[in-house]
Amino acid sequence: MTIYPIPAFSDNYIWAIIDKVAGAFDCVDPGDAEPVVQFARTNQLSLRSILLTHHHQDHIGGVNQLLKTYHSCTVYGPSDPRIPHVNNTMQEHQSIHVGKCIFKILFNPGHTSSHISYYEPQNELLFCGDTLFSAGCGRVLDGTIEQLHQSLHLFKTLPPTTKIFCAHEYTEQNLRFAQTVEPNNPVIEQYLNKIHSSPRTCTLPSTLELELLINPFLRTDKPEVQRYALTHGATSNNSLEVFRVLREEKNSFK
């Protein structure tokens, strides 16, 4: 099994899960149809299914056109009236067979109220949409900060070797913010230097093991992260309060 990032827009990734034996692939969050169709033609593959994490247009915008091209394609997604064309609505803890993969559905509200992720335990793959980014997390839009905090805590229970396939290339900017939160964290500086010296533009997938070392939103129990939050308006070092301040500060970080 090969997983390939199909770039879309300025910083989106549409993840293609390739099944060479079947001559097919499954894709995650196709906000744009054209790069998916081009990928399929170039690699002589058919689109078997679409996995959607949430309702935002840069994640679902290509679905209608893809269904016109690939009529037998199955669409999985959360139960949300804002997402058209889903013929298999997913519930928390449900498992689905996609090719040779068996994905467990994780309910991860916060960025949106109905956000889900797809976790494949055998190969330790996590397709998490906009809930978790490398060194960061999504903004709270129509979910709540409490939900997002809980969603990231759920991810922390996964095996550290879990490979994390986020939907955007935000890593460098997120690391710059993480460095302001933890200026004495050597892993953040090392990873930034690695990115700057690498010819590769795609920094994903990450791993949970790495994120636990660099991602301030997963490190609310660390003294330096707590000190940052307390000096930026946190009323205590409670994990949720620290998380809330981090998210507010990141919202205005440039």
Side-chain angles (χ1 to χ4, degrees), residues 147-186:
Q147 289 174 329
L148 186 59
H149 177 253
Q150 183 59 40
S151 291
L152 265 64
H153 267 274
L154 173 61
F155 288 154
K156 289 176 71 170
T157 68
L158 299 177
T161 46
T162 298
K163 293 175 280 294
I164 299 172
F165 296 86
C166 320
H168 291 273
E169 183 57 67
Y170 291 160
T171 307
E172 184 174 353
Q173 186 203 39
N174 287 342
L175 282 169
R176 288 194 294 106
F177 174 72
Q179 198 168 44
T180 68
V181 176
E182 286 190 279
N184 298 308
N185 184 330

Side-chain angles (χ1 to χ4, degrees), residues 43-84:
N43 293 278
Q44 298 182 311
L45 299 169
S46 62
L47 180 60
R48 181 168 54 193
S49 67
I50 295 170
L51 284 65
L52 303 174
T53 62
H54 65 292
H55 74 276
H56 289 155
Q57 193 65 17
D58 64 322
H59 293 253
I60 69 170
V63 174
N64 185 46
Q65 186 60 43
L66 288 172
L67 290 178
K68 291 179 181 178
T69 306
Y70 304 98
H71 307 291
S72 60
C73 181
T74 302
V75 182
Y76 300 94
S79 179
D80 190 324
R82 297 169 294 188
I83 306 178

Side-chain angles (χ1 to χ4, degrees), residues 168-226:
H168 291 273
E169 183 57 67
Y170 291 160
T171 307
E172 184 174 353
Q173 186 203 39
N174 287 342
L175 282 169
R176 288 194 294 106
F177 174 72
Q179 198 168 44
T180 68
V181 176
E182 286 190 279
N184 298 308
N185 184 330
V187 185
I188 294 174
E189 182 176 4
Q190 291 164 11
Y191 192 35
L192 263 173
N193 291 337
K194 179 181 177 181
I195 289 173
H196 291 156
S197 62
S198 173
R200 292 180 57 206
T201 57
C202 181
T203 62
L204 302 172
S206 184
T207 65
L208 181 58
E209 183 176 35
L210 175 60
E211 294 307 311
L212 291 171
L213 295 174
I214 65 171
N215 193 324
F217 297 96
L218 298 176
R219 293 172 57 81
T220 55
D221 59 333
K222 305 304 179 185
E224 193 169 25
V225 177
Q226 292 175 346

Side-chain angles (χ1 to χ4, degrees), residues 32-48:
D32 188 5
E34 182 54 36
V36 178
V37 173
Q38 187 60 47
F39 173 82
R41 289 173 178 167
T42 300
N43 293 278
Q44 298 182 311
L45 299 169
S46 62
L47 180 60
R48 181 168 54 193

